[in-house]
Amino acid sequence: MSSLVEPIEAISQRVDTFVTAQRADAKDAGAEAALFVDAAADAATGGKRLRGRFCLAGWRAVEEAAGPPADAPGPVLAAAAALEVFHAAALVHDDLIDNSDTRRGRPATHRALEARHRSAGWHGDADAFGRSGAILVGDLLVAWSDDILEAGLAEAEPGRAAAARRQYALMRREVTLGQFLDIAEESAFVTEPDDRHAERALRVASYKSARYSVQQPLAVGAALAGADQAQAAALAAFGHPLGMAFQLRDDVLGVFGDEQATGKPSGDDLREGKRTVLIAYTREALSPTARRIVDELVGDPTLDAAQVASLQQTIVDSGALDRVERLIADYAREADRALSGARLGHAAVGELRDLAHAATVRTT
């Protein structure tokens, strides 16, 4: 798996094989069960498979340091697939929390279920059905991720399996905490001094994304390769700042991204009220009156295109966008420095740098 495309294909095939088995298991439960499983399968389809690729890269970085690695074995490929299925669960729940209509250019899970309720002519509130169904779809995906992981770890050396399981469990706890911090900040910001908003936004980015998207997937893969303390520390020192840069890029795309590329409407983070570093830096540069106007607009789900464009211009004029771009570059450089001199495979370090570029210099 030398290219960036091949790991995506390998991870997707592992997910598809599992989903096919789940469809077969649910066959006798009827059409409604098929709808449920299909909704989960659709949520797990597509995407950049970034977390799974970092898992494979973490494994390869350690494995290659001991000698030329073979193709990724079953346990690490299963862990990579499990991370992607768990991510699908997080997205289903995230779209529900944010009341998002779309994901990857398609209807979000709760909207797709709502539409199926209406088209079937079922009794009751279609919106409530969609929301309730999406909660359960997310729960099912979490269960699937555990099933895939445990099936893979059963084939691993027990000590390495235990270490990988600990890292996976830590990832689950931290991202759940991060998700709550994210929604809490949309309300709690009003009680905090303005000069603490950026610090608090960076805390959310760390727990919700940096550890979850990059640092812990690397750690899971490295654990399955038998990483020692120094190797694990080097990958963590690379993974966390890179994860921060990744989330800050996501924040920029959430405000300025092209809908055709991101699959979500431009300015969606503004309508959802995300209290990101971008917003914190903007507020710091504004007068109290202008700051109040921004606070009134951010989080208004009815913002029209003209209001979004006005907020975008305010962010640019305040210098906040430039500040965030510099911060992204600083984090990326910090991550790159962590790889220098680390006892990791040479080719794998090149792969990590390629992944770092893909994570921070992107339009989707």
Side-chain angles (χ1 to χ4, degrees):
M1 285 188 280
S2 58
S3 73
L4 291 180
V5 175
E6 290 168 345
I8 296 174
E9 293 175 348
I11 293 165
S12 295
Q13 287 172 5
R14 181 68 182 82
V15 172
D16 290 347
T17 298
F18 178 85
V19 169
T20 297
Q22 297 307 300
R23 282 193 167 111
D25 287 348
K27 186 176 181 180
D28 292 339
E32 293 78 18
L35 168 64
F36 184 49
V37 171
D38 285 348
D42 288 346
T45 300
K48 296 178 286 294
R49 303 300 193 199
L50 195 65
R51 290 149 193 84
R53 286 156 61 188
F54 274 116
C55 179
L56 293 176
W59 171 84
R60 191 176 299 280
V62 175
E63 188 76 11
E64 191 183 82
D71 286 339
V76 71
L77 191 56
L83 285 162
E84 289 301 322
V85 174
F86 182 87
H87 183 55
L91 294 180
V92 169
H93 285 164
D94 201 42
D95 287 341
L96 189 59
I97 290 167
D98 293 338
N99 203 30
S100 297
D101 293 329
T102 59
R103 169 64 62 181
R104 294 171 180 162
R106 305 192 303 265
T109 299
H110 61 287
R111 295 303 186 203
L113 290 172
E114 176 186 333
R116 287 296 300 271
H117 181 285
R118 287 200 175 96
S119 66
W122 288 352
H123 171 75
D125 186 339
D127 180 72
F129 173 82
R131 298 179 71 82
S132 299
I135 292 171
L136 295 172
V137 167
D139 291 347
L140 179 63
L141 287 163
V142 171
W144 282 3
S145 73
D146 284 347
D147 292 342
I148 296 172
L149 179 71
E150 290 303 326
L153 294 185
E155 302 173 11
E157 187 274 322
R160 294 184 180 186
R165 191 178 288 111
R166 285 193 297 272
Q167 295 296 340
Y168 195 88
L170 178 61
M171 176 275 295
R172 287 181 50 166
R173 293 194 302 272
E174 287 185 336
V175 71
T176 304
L177 173 60
Q179 286 278 29
F180 181 78
L181 291 175
D182 187 31
I183 62 171
E185 194 62 19
E186 293 174 19
S187 302
F189 79 94
V190 297
T191 64
E192 291 294 325
D194 292 331
D195 61 4
R196 289 199 61 210
H197 285 202
E199 171 194 339
R200 290 170 64 85
L202 288 171
R203 181 186 65 172
V204 172
S206 174
Y207 280 93
K208 183 184 177 184
S209 187
R211 302 166 194 235
Y212 162 64
S213 298
V214 182
Q215 184 178 344
Q216 290 308 121
L218 284 169
V220 171
L224 286 169
D228 61 28
Q229 188 173 2
Q231 289 170 319
L235 288 171
F238 165 77
H240 189 263
L242 179 59
M244 293 296 287
F246 169 80
Q247 180 55 44
L248 293 176
R249 174 60 61 210
D250 216 46
D251 292 344
V252 171
L253 292 174
V255 173
F256 295 98
D258 180 353
E259 182 174 357
Q260 296 302 312
T262 65
K264 295 179 79 69
S266 180
D268 223 28
D269 277 7
L270 299 174
R271 296 185 181 92
E272 291 170 5
K274 297 296 182 184
R275 290 286 158 174
T276 63
V277 178
L278 197 60
I279 297 301
Y281 284 169
T282 300
R283 295 178 80 259
E284 286 179 13
L286 298 178
S287 68
T289 300
R291 194 178 300 152
R292 282 195 296 273
I293 293 172
V294 167
D295 287 342
E296 288 171 3
L297 291 173
V298 173
D300 181 352
T302 67
L303 288 180
D304 60 27
Q307 289 171 310
V308 167
S310 176
L311 277 171
Q312 289 171 332
Q313 192 61 53
T314 297
I315 292 168
V316 172
D317 292 344
S318 73
L321 179 58
D322 286 341
R323 285 184 70 183
V324 170
E325 290 290 353
R326 289 194 297 271
L327 191 54
I328 290 171
D330 288 345
Y331 277 129
R333 281 192 293 269
E334 180 185 347
D336 191 69
R337 285 195 299 269
L339 296 176
S340 299
R343 191 164 52 79
L344 302 169
H346 179 73
V349 166
E351 182 181 354
L352 288 171
R353 287 187 165 123
D354 287 342
L355 279 169
H357 182 81
T360 57
V361 183
R362 59 192 173 93
T363 58
T364 63

